[in-house]
Amino acid sequence: MSGGSRDLSPGSHKQRRGGRCSGQCGDTEDSQGHSALGQFQTLPLEIFHMVLGYLSVKDISVLSLVSKRLSQQLALYICSSAGTRRLLPQHFHSPEPPGSSEAAPIVQHYRALGLLLKRCTLLLPTRDRLKYVHKVLSEVSCFKLNGCASPLHCMGLRCYGVFLQILTAGWDELECHRVFNFLWELSSLPRKVQTVVSSRAGSARKLELRIRLFCRRVLLTHWIQRSDSAFWLTRILKPWPIVNQARLLYIIFGPVSPLDGYVVWQKMIERPTDETSLKGLAEAIKLLYGTEAREWTADDVISLVDELSVVPQEWLMENNARLLLLSGNNICFTFLASKAVNGRAVELARLIVFMALVCEKDLYCMDWAVKMMQKVCRVFSTSWERDNFLQCLENAFAHMLMDLMQSVLAGGHYEEDSSLLNLFHLVNAQANFHKEILYMAIRSSSSTT
């Protein structure tokens, strides 16, 4: 090819130098493009795309940093049919639920793709970056809220989540607000969330499941810093009234059926539950209460916990107590103290008794419950209020024992009936609770003599 020959004579060399200088001074688009693309300028577009096909996604992302012009060419390649086939694999489905398999090859691929698009759009405004990303990903149906027929067995939303995490890492808060608003409106989530929080619990269970999966796998799961997780959870909850916040929190973090993944609404109402069913809710509450969640006050979180305990109806007191234990000392004490300040001594006493019962059942140290009771006693402003609370506490133990005794004596308790077992646990809880109080009193009197 004649275009590939090079004349290395001195005259020719001078002419090349002079021409290059003239081009830089004139700042023509052709000379800029030539120098920016380097040797790739001589390749036909089809050959250039074939070369890219031999590079890993990570290598292409490094290549995009060479120059602005090359980055633009790569951005065009990503949107082309060749780029789409190469960069957007869609084998997301597996026979088992995806769990937390962050190391799966397809997840790692989309992590690298997030870095590539981050670098290719580096010089664009946030709005234009989001439009470009949407254009690239719009054909991937499993990235959409309702796009997959089998969402429980699909890794699409998880891949979308790691992609989003890499793409937005290091962006300031205002940019992340724009990202959330873009995704929120793109998925029509305001309307869909409004449907599930205002309908009867479980009446739109398929939509509840899809909202849960989208929020967890795309917006919440992949962040390394707790402050990032708090930011995105706040964005999800804050637009709604407190009643809807509690309902939405339960949809996202509450217990689900192991068979079909649907939210189990009656679990907190019908019988005592286990730690596993409450762990997600407790972690979310701790996140909102922590210093990372700047938009939430302690009163906000306590009100949310209080509202959560009646979703969809009033919970069993034991489940309330177990949630508070899992939520940590600070939240637990603040919640109990708020009841003390508001004069709800009887309710507070019953809650302390159920905390002692949970400590007994779940093998926590009983001195924790006693020390928590001590801290609460200091909240009362008068000795009469404190003494009245302690009397309510003993009455609560007595009334619960009598209720369980009546249930056992009434008979008809078959193997699945837990009345006798609950009575056994409550008797032991009362004994261990008072034993810790005696230990504390004896240690205190010994230290003063």
Side-chain angles (χ1 to χ4, degrees):
M1 297 173 61
S2 60
S5 63
R6 297 179 60 188
D7 186 355
L8 299 181
S9 63
S12 173
H13 182 63
K14 287 183 180 180
Q15 182 64 36
R16 284 174 54 84
R17 292 189 61 184
R20 184 172 59 190
C21 182
S22 173
Q24 287 178 336
C25 294
D27 198 23
T28 62
E29 182 179 353
D30 183 65
S31 63
Q32 277 190 326
H34 185 84
S35 61
L37 293 178
Q39 297 299 325
F40 290 113
Q41 180 71 25
T42 63
L43 295 178
L45 187 61
E46 294 80 2
I47 303 299
F48 178 52
H49 287 181
M50 289 177 62
V51 171
L52 294 176
Y54 287 95
L55 299 180
S56 69
V57 179
K58 184 177 179 181
D59 290 337
I60 298 174
S61 72
V62 173
L63 187 61
S64 70
L65 297 176
V66 171
S67 69
K68 177 181 177 181
R69 183 66 182 274
L70 188 52
S71 178
Q72 291 171 343
Q73 289 295 320
L74 291 174
L76 293 174
Y77 164 72
I78 293 169
C79 291
S80 69
S81 57
T84 299
R85 289 193 302 271
R86 165 84 165 83
L87 299 173
L88 295 177
Q90 299 187 37
H91 43 281
F92 298 119
H93 295 86
S94 61
E96 299 296 329
S100 58
S101 51
E102 296 295 329
I106 193 166
V107 175
Q108 294 305 312
H109 173 86
Y110 277 95
R111 190 186 303 274
L113 185 63
L115 183 59
L116 170 57
L117 266 66
K118 183 188 190 80
R119 289 173 171 174
C120 279
T121 60
L122 194 60
L123 301 178
L124 296 177
T126 301
R127 187 185 304 275
D128 293 338
R129 297 179 88 172
L130 295 175
K131 288 180 179 178
Y132 173 76
V133 169
H134 172 60
K135 180 181 178 182
V136 172
L137 302 182
S138 60
E139 299 304 316
V140 183
S141 61
C142 289
F143 286 179
K144 301 173 183 176
L145 183 72
N146 293 314
C148 182
S150 181
L152 278 179
H153 299 88
C154 179
M155 298 191 71
L157 293 180
R158 189 176 300 278
C159 291
Y160 194 15
V162 298
F163 173 91
L164 181 68
Q165 187 263 326
I166 293 297
L167 178 72
T168 60
W171 290 18
D172 64 33
E173 194 167 290
L174 178 59
E175 290 175 314
C176 290
H177 269 280
R178 289 171 177 163
V179 172
F180 176 81
N181 292 335
F182 184 83
L183 292 173
W184 203 242
E185 296 299 329
L186 186 67
S187 303
S188 301
L189 272 168
R191 177 175 54 82
K192 292 170 182 176
V193 169
Q194 180 64 52
T195 298
V196 297
V197 297
S198 59
S199 304
R200 182 174 55 85
S203 61
R205 59 180 191 166
K206 291 183 179 180
L207 184 55
E208 291 170 357
L209 171 61
R210 290 187 180 276
I211 290 173
R212 176 189 177 97
L213 293 178
F214 188 89
C215 289
R216 289 174 70 112
R217 295 180 181 177
V218 176
L219 301 177
L220 297 173
T221 302
H222 309 285
W223 305 106
I224 299 171
Q225 301 296 328
R226 287 179 61 83
S227 57
D228 291 327
S229 300
F231 170 84
W232 290 94
L233 182 56
T234 299
R235 301 280 70 74
I236 293 170
L237 296 179
K238 271 296 185 180
W240 307 98
I242 185 72
V243 175
N244 293 346
Q245 286 178 8
R247 177 73 71 95
L248 188 52
L249 196 70
Y250 194 97
I251 289 172
I252 298 172
F253 295 104
V256 295
S257 167
L259 299 177
D260 53 25
Y262 293 139
V263 177
V264 182
W265 288 100
Q266 302 301 315
K267 194 157 191 174
M268 305 302 173
I269 303 165
E270 295 177 344
R271 60 180 62 87
T273 189
D274 54 9
E275 290 186 1
T276 304
S277 299
L278 290 164
K279 187 176 180 181
L281 289 169
E283 290 299 320
I285 291 167
K286 284 194 285 188
L287 187 65
L288 297 177
Y289 191 83
T291 56
E292 300 89 355
R294 300 189 307 274
E295 298 175 55
W296 297 83
T297 65
D299 287 343
D300 290 338
V301 179
I302 296 307
S303 298
L304 182 59
V305 174
D306 218 9
E307 193 65 45
L308 186 63
S309 67
V310 292
V311 172
Q313 299 170 17
E314 187 173 356
W315 290 12
L316 295 181
M317 189 71 82
E318 182 177 329
N319 292 335
N320 283 336
R322 186 169 279 109
L323 176 63
L324 288 174
L325 262 71
L326 292 173
S327 298
N329 290 352
N330 292 335
I331 295 173
C332 186
F333 171 70
T334 305
F335 188 85
L336 297 176
S338 70
K339 295 192 178 299
V341 169
N342 292 312
R344 298 160 72 176
V346 174
E347 184 180 347
L348 173 62
R350 291 191 70 236
L351 199 48
I352 293 287
V353 170
F354 274 105
M355 285 184 174
L357 179 60
V358 171
C359 286
E360 179 66 27
K361 282 186 172 184
D362 296 352
L363 304 179
Y364 291 109
C365 294
M366 190 62 73
D367 68 337
W368 179 90
V370 173
K371 289 176 180 176
M372 187 61 67
M373 179 202 69
Q374 265 192 318
K375 288 181 67 176
V376 171
C377 283
R378 299 190 190 105
V379 174
F380 293 106
S381 55
T382 66
S383 59
W384 180 89
E385 289 177 320
R386 183 186 65 245
D387 293 346
N388 177 63
F389 161 68
L390 293 175
Q391 183 62 59
C392 290
L393 185 66
E394 294 305 320
N395 291 342
F397 267 119
H399 291 157
M400 286 177 60
L401 284 169
M402 291 300 296
D403 289 343
L404 283 173
M405 282 288 293
Q406 289 178 358
S407 177
V408 170
L409 293 175
H413 52 280
Y414 299 98
E415 186 176 352
E416 68 272 15
D417 191 0
S418 58
S419 297
L420 187 58
L421 183 59
N422 278 336
L423 178 61
F424 169 79
H425 283 308
L426 184 58
V427 170
N428 279 330
Q430 184 182 37
N432 288 326
F433 186 84
H434 288 95
K435 178 188 70 175
E436 292 296 335
I437 293 176
L438 291 174
Y439 284 164
M440 194 175 296
I442 290 172
R443 285 194 295 266
S444 177
S445 62
S446 300
S447 64
T448 57
T449 56

